[in-house]
Amino acid sequence: MSISSHPDTVLIIDFGSQVAQLIARRVREAGVYSEIVPFQLADEAFRRINPKAVILSGGPSSTTETDSPRAPDIVFSSGVPVLGICYGQMTMCVQLGGSAEGSNHREFGRSYVEIVSDCPLFDGIWIQGQRHQVWMSHGDRVIDLPEGFEILGRSEGAPFAAFGDTKRNYYGLMFHPEVVHTPDGAKLLANFVHRVAGLGGDWSMAAYKDQAIAAIREQVGDGRVICALSGGVDSSVAALLIHEAIGDRLNCILVDHGLMRKNEAADVLEMFREHYNIPLQLVDASDTFISELEGEADPEKKRKTIGRLFIDVFEAEAQKLAGEGAAARFLAQGTLYPDVIESVSFTGGPSVTIKSHHNVGGLPERMNMQLVEPLRELFKDEVRELGRELGLPESFIGRHPFPGPGLAIRCPGGITREKLEILREADAIYLDEIRKAGLYDAIWQAFAVLLPVQTVGVMGDGRTYEFVCALRAVTSVDGMTADFYHYDMEFLGRAATRIINEVKGINRVVYDVTSKPPGTIEWE
């Protein structure tokens, strides 16, 4: 399902940038809908979307290379405003008659741009003669501008760090305005969509809710929908949205696959049955899932197995409903926009496998069902805002996300029932300590990981040979990037002591301080 009525759309052409999703987020934060497409599909997407502006992302290629990617000609023949960022700036320059070269003065990291000329892109932010901090990441540079362009800003390593053709509304930036390391970057992007492209700021979750409900009704008609409800924010918001659209023709199914957190299934059942008048059925398939996963160490095989078994469960439930005279032709799930993006290998990279447990490519033909994915165009923080529009309590909206494969990917190495129980208990204690310390809402996601490592320890007067538990906590806005949470040592000592004392099977606890760049798997 796609919400097709976004008349003011900014098309982002992705040349393989690690931070293309951040461009989309900054545009949406400015109140304008944006959509990302890989450069290979950009021509078709442009004709389908009819965007009001285009942004060309950065990427790992060089315009000096043979067969380096280019923007489709229609971008420049259409007359819409265009903003090129990093590689996007260079391909714009080359395609319009300028030139670029490899440089001996590369710039990676913090840099400063001197503003040479005023322009609409800088209105109210930067003025001529000032120097401003930006974030650079380039080895090439522009050396000759196309006809009609002028220099707007320069840095030590890039004489054309910013350029533009104000008559045609074409602008190029060598630096990355989408990252927080360029302090005024979000304002520059807002200026591009509002002052340069002349777009309003009417993209909101209130408007999206009405459009999504209408789209669900159009897709489903008088049919019935089965919703895969995990109890997480995504699937819960999807369920409430579909229920508003079609009422009691929605059947929600919660699958207990034996990989859930402690008491998770009971908590979800209680919340939905007490607070929402939505049919919800619990299917206990834990024996089936764990039996097939037991001993499996390969993370991708775990995901594939879990995805296949989920399909089997929902197919069986659909057949039961059909036998009761309530046949369902649609299966709903809480797929998000990052799931869709990360399941497509834009430039032949590894991202195609990141979200492979989601059925973003469709369902098996034998099911004879269509997917309903009303959140497919949204980022995580937008889903939470939509949840508020639908009346979900703040305590639920702020719940830490829990991946579909559950504890399976937080138990690296071979899975056993014993290891899952050890991990479940450790995770519950960890979250309990976080809540007691008043830190739950300050952290975007926290969980325990049972490492496939056993160490010798001394507990009391005896030696032990038990597992190592890793604790993870990150801060994030949308889940695309994350930084580790800076606990004080007193908290970590308290949590570790409880886990070691109360969970038989763990004799050592460590804290994971890695960060998560865009497009990476959370823990495998």
Side-chain angles (χ1 to χ4, degrees), residues 2 4 47 52 64 94 183 261-262 286 291 297 304 313 323 381 465 479 498 516-517 524:
S2 177
S4 58
R47 299 174 192 279
K52 296 296 177 63
T64 63
V94 171
R261 291 174 289 203
K262 188 174 182 178
S286 55
S291 294
K304 298 279 189 184
V313 169
D381 52 323
Y465 186 63
R498 272 198 66 191
K516 175 190 174 187
E524 285 188 352

Side-chain angles (χ1 to χ4, degrees), residues 80-215:
V80 302
V82 182
L83 173 65
I85 296 173
C86 198
Y87 179 83
Q89 183 211 45
M90 284 184 283
T91 193
M92 172 196 286
C93 173
V94 171
Q95 288 183 244
L96 294 178
S99 58
E101 67 175 5
S103 172
N104 292 325
H105 194 132
R106 301 182 301 171
E107 287 182 298
F108 291 94
R110 185 178 292 105
S111 185
Y112 291 87
V113 168
E114 177 190 353
I115 306 307
V116 175
S117 179
D118 295 328
C119 69
L121 195 65
F122 300 157
D123 273 356
I125 308 171
W126 294 346
I127 60 175
Q128 185 176 344
Q130 294 181 340
R131 291 177 76 245
H132 293 276
Q133 178 184 317
V134 298
W135 191 260
M136 293 281 195
S137 181
H138 68 93
D140 293 358
R141 65 180 182 178
V142 171
I143 55 174
D144 289 308
L145 293 180
E147 183 177 351
F149 282 77
E150 63 175 321
I151 181 174
L152 301 175
R154 59 181 167 231
S155 70
E156 185 177 349
F160 302 103
F163 63 58
D165 179 338
T166 56
K167 290 184 179 179
R168 289 186 288 178
N169 287 325
Y170 291 166
Y171 292 89
L173 303 175
M174 192 70 259
F175 56 89
H176 288 271
E178 67 272 30
V179 301
V180 296
H181 306 83
T182 299
D184 296 318
K187 295 177 183 177
L188 291 175
L189 289 170
N191 266 1
F192 175 70
V193 297
H194 296 313
R195 300 189 183 221
V196 176
L199 303 179
D202 55 359
W203 165 252
S204 68
M205 285 303 98
Y208 185 90
K209 182 184 79 169
D210 295 337
Q211 293 173 350
I213 289 172

